[in-house]
Amino acid sequence: MSALGQALAIAKKDLRIEVRGRHVAGTILPFAGTLLIAFGLSLGPGRSLLRQTAPGLLWLAVLFASVLAFRQAYQAEGEDGAFESLILAPIDKASVFLGKAAAVVVELLALEAVVVGLVVVLFDLPVGHAPVVLAGAFVLGTIGLAVVGSLFGALAEMPRTREAIFPLLVLPLCTPVLVAGVKATELATTGPAGQAGSWLGLLLAFDVVVTGVGSLLFVYLVED
Amino acid sequence: MSTAERLMSSLTARRGERVLAWLAVGAVGVSAVLSLVASPPDAEQGGLIRLMYVHVPAAWVAYLAFAVVFVASVAYLRTRKTRWDRVAAASAEVGVLFTALTIVLGSIWAKPVWGTWWTWDPRLTTTAILLVIYVGYLAVRRLPDNPARRARWAAVVGIVGFVDVPIVHLSVRWWRSLHQAPARLIGVPDVSGSMGVALGVGFIAFTLVYLYFMALRLRVGRLEERVVAEALSPRIGQPAEALMEEPARG
Amino acid sequence: MAETLAAARYAGYVVAGYLIAGVGLGAYARLLFHRARRARARAAAMVARRAGPQR
């Protein structure tokens, strides 16, 4: 099996786990919804303020959801020593990294579709102007979040690890995704969408760099 | 290495540390005199310019320290020599100290000059994110796990963190350029003559302080590893050094 | 008069900055010395215990 085929097999396995266990759909999606309602309550009912802050709140919800999604993706591996078997399997370690990232990309994109709908309803964000730019921002941003999460998610499964260490690492490293994602979303909804190109380029650059570095380094994280 | 040789190298290490200490103290003294007394006040900022002579060198040392973490992390993954892991650990700790110092000094400088403790200036914001990334790095280093695995983990974080910094900076710079710059923002002061000398000596002094802290911190690292090795030493009389290079069992 | 006052106020910032830098660096050096002393004492204690009464 080629490295790509291996990655796809792992992604398929993770998606099957999600379809059967419904962790993202059953727990993380409601959490993201709760978060959005809490944001709305904390910023008051003023319509224009909510609309202005909607892209940022949307991406914060996605960011937190991605942290939880990776906790879940690696916690599932912790049971019955599944992760050890996965690592001992005669496959390229980079394909484990890419496969887990790909599965979470699919899960998060599904989650984002619902969350964007919620934001349209709750915060009155107009999403019809430039749907292609918006979709591009979410696809590229989600890939960025997923590769960072896939790289460091294994940390959450280390024995005697500390829960908060994963978000502590992931959130600052994902600053470019947060900034570029929010700005691209802003431009795609309320601003001139034509100016979003450089932000999408930045997201793409982040994805390429972290995917490359992650593929090279993942093997060191799971050596034993 | 024979016992005598080991003794020698540790002696020279201690002597090197002492020499560095004196050099650092001397350079800091000269730098303080130059920047507080001998250099003229700035045309725009007056005496406040004197904060530049500590703030900018501190920022330089912070970035230098994290570059060293990056190099040592790559070297560790390639060679698996514990020495590189110790260098990375030491440099990250010193780097976090200097990053925090940079931010605090920058704040103190910004308050009278810009009228605010903090602006979302790209350099400030990047430095703040840098601080958080490497605080996370130190948190990974504190995980109670087997030392070899922890070292590999830390190395990966050290590499990814450093690679991420330019992208963070770029994103924050673009992000910032979409807002108006604060009206009171004063540009980079014109540094020449005795001000340039003061700044240059500041750079040298802070770099020497960094080297001294590295030497000291590396010694502390060796001593603390020795404690762990003694605690895990399975047989009476076995030298602890024999255990230090391999992962601890436990 | 006002100018002197303003200059003195600004000097306060400079003094505070240099003090914080000095205290920060000094405190870190002291912390390292403390850690070195503690590690040495612990290692010595362990060696002494091992060399002492036979198990």
Side-chain angles (χ1 to χ4, degrees):
Chain A
M1 216 194 288
S2 70
L4 194 68
Q6 292 163 359
L8 281 178
I10 287 166
K12 237 188 270 173
K13 168 194 79 78
D14 274 16
L15 287 174
R16 198 174 305 131
I17 294 176
E18 167 56 25
V19 167
R20 294 195 184 150
R22 292 207 184 75
H23 272 279
V24 175
T27 318
I28 301 176
L29 181 60
F31 168 73
T34 318
L35 211 54
L36 285 175
I37 292 172
F39 284 151
L41 289 173
S42 66
L43 293 176
R47 238 185 147 74
S48 64
L49 178 65
L50 283 182
R51 200 173 187 176
Q52 233 178 359
T53 47
L57 303 180
L58 176 58
W59 275 93
L60 275 181
V62 168
L63 206 57
F64 290 144
S66 81
V67 167
L68 294 177
F70 272 103
R71 293 276 316 169
Q72 160 54 30
Y74 277 95
Q75 235 153 32
E77 300 286 358
E79 284 164 29
D80 302 325
F83 200 57
E84 279 74 31
S85 329
L86 195 60
I87 294 311
L88 288 174
I91 53 171
D92 196 348
K93 302 297 170 278
S95 54
V96 175
F97 161 70
L98 294 174
K100 292 203 90 68
V104 173
V105 167
V106 174
E107 290 167 16
L108 282 180
L109 282 175
L111 176 136
E112 283 157 11
V114 181
V115 170
V116 168
L118 266 177
V119 170
V120 170
V121 173
L122 290 176
F123 298 164
D124 197 20
L125 188 73
V127 288
H129 297 316
V132 179
V133 175
L134 194 66
F138 274 102
V139 170
L140 291 174
T142 306
I143 293 174
L145 295 179
V147 283
V148 175
S150 180
L151 187 59
F152 293 118
L155 178 68
E157 272 316 301
M158 291 214 318
R160 288 175 296 171
T161 195
R162 287 168 197 160
E163 292 262 327
I165 235 178
F166 178 58
L168 177 60
L169 281 177
V170 167
L171 297 187
L173 287 174
C174 284
T175 311
V177 176
L178 181 67
V179 170
V182 170
K183 283 296 160 188
T185 308
E186 245 176 52
L187 291 170
T189 51
T190 52
Q195 287 175 19
S198 52
W199 292 114
L200 296 182
L202 186 73
L203 285 174
L204 184 67
F206 183 85
D207 295 355
V208 169
V209 169
V210 180
T211 308
V213 174
S215 306
L216 280 176
L217 296 181
F218 188 73
V219 57
Y220 297 112
L221 299 180
V222 294
E223 230 169 49
D224 49 24
Chain B
M1 221 178 359
S2 72
T3 320
E5 272 171 355
R6 200 176 297 133
L7 200 70
M8 276 288 286
S9 78
S10 84
L11 267 179
T12 47
R14 282 307 292 274
R15 178 179 297 164
E17 192 187 310
R18 230 162 262 158
V19 171
L20 267 177
W22 286 114
L23 281 176
V25 167
V28 165
V30 173
S31 159
V33 171
L34 281 177
S35 45
L36 283 175
V37 185
S39 69
D42 181 60
E44 253 182 303
Q45 308 187 7
L48 286 169
I49 195 69
R50 302 185 196 288
L51 281 167
M52 178 182 72
Y53 307 126
V54 279
H55 169 70
V56 178
W60 144 251
V61 168
Y63 280 85
L64 170 73
F66 296 141
V68 169
V69 174
F70 173 74
V71 171
S73 299
V74 172
Y76 176 76
L77 289 182
R78 294 191 81 111
T79 65
R80 302 303 168 97
K81 291 241 166 71
T82 317
R83 188 187 309 146
W84 288 115
D85 182 51
R86 284 192 211 121
V87 170
S91 197
E93 207 175 284
V94 179
V96 164
L97 172 75
F98 276 92
T99 313
L101 198 61
T102 304
I103 292 175
V104 171
L105 290 172
S107 254
I108 292 174
W109 192 15
K111 181 63 183 166
V113 176
W114 293 346
T116 169
W117 295 110
W118 181 263
T119 71
W120 292 90
D121 166 83
R123 270 170 302 176
L124 263 64
T125 313
T126 307
T127 310
I129 291 167
L130 200 65
L131 180 68
V132 186
I133 289 178
Y134 283 90
V135 166
Y137 174 91
L138 291 181
V140 170
R141 296 215 67 102
R142 276 197 304 273
L143 284 179
D145 201 342
N146 111 26
R149 177 143 60 149
R150 190 173 52 209
R152 273 189 283 114
W153 265 98
V156 171
V157 178
I159 294 170
V160 176
F162 195 71
V163 170
D164 198 40
V165 170
I167 312 180
V168 169
H169 184 74
L170 188 67
S171 68
V172 181
R173 211 169 70 195
W174 287 358
W175 171 70
R176 195 62 189 77
S177 69
L178 294 180
H179 298 236
Q180 306 90 321
R184 292 191 61 185
L185 211 79
I186 295 177
V188 178
D190 176 36
V191 179
S192 54
S194 61
M195 290 163 79
V197 173
L199 189 59
V201 173
F203 274 106
I204 295 170
F206 270 66
T207 309
L208 284 169
V209 170
Y210 167 72
L211 291 175
Y212 169 58
F213 277 179
M214 282 296 285
L216 185 55
R217 177 62 183 75
L218 283 170
R219 182 161 63 87
V220 170
R222 283 197 303 272
L223 286 169
E224 285 177 349
E225 271 175 44
R226 204 184 127 84
V227 172
V228 175
E230 289 285 1
L232 295 172
S233 176
R235 280 200 307 278
I236 296 169
Q238 178 167 352
E241 282 79 8
L243 280 154
M244 279 168 44
E245 289 295 323
E246 53 181 294
R249 289 151 238 161
Chain C
M1 180 61 195
E3 254 173 46
T4 335
L5 265 180
R9 220 166 65 82
Y10 285 163
Y13 285 103
V14 176
V15 170
Y18 276 76
L19 269 183
I20 286 173
V23 168
L25 297 182
Y28 182 65
R30 282 198 53 168
L31 173 77
L32 287 183
F33 282 123
H34 172 73
R35 275 170 71 176
R37 256 199 314 275
R38 197 182 49 185
R40 240 195 327 260
R42 273 194 194 166
M46 272 182 229
V47 170
R49 205 178 326 149
R50 214 171 274 148
Q54 296 297 311
R55 271 184 286 179

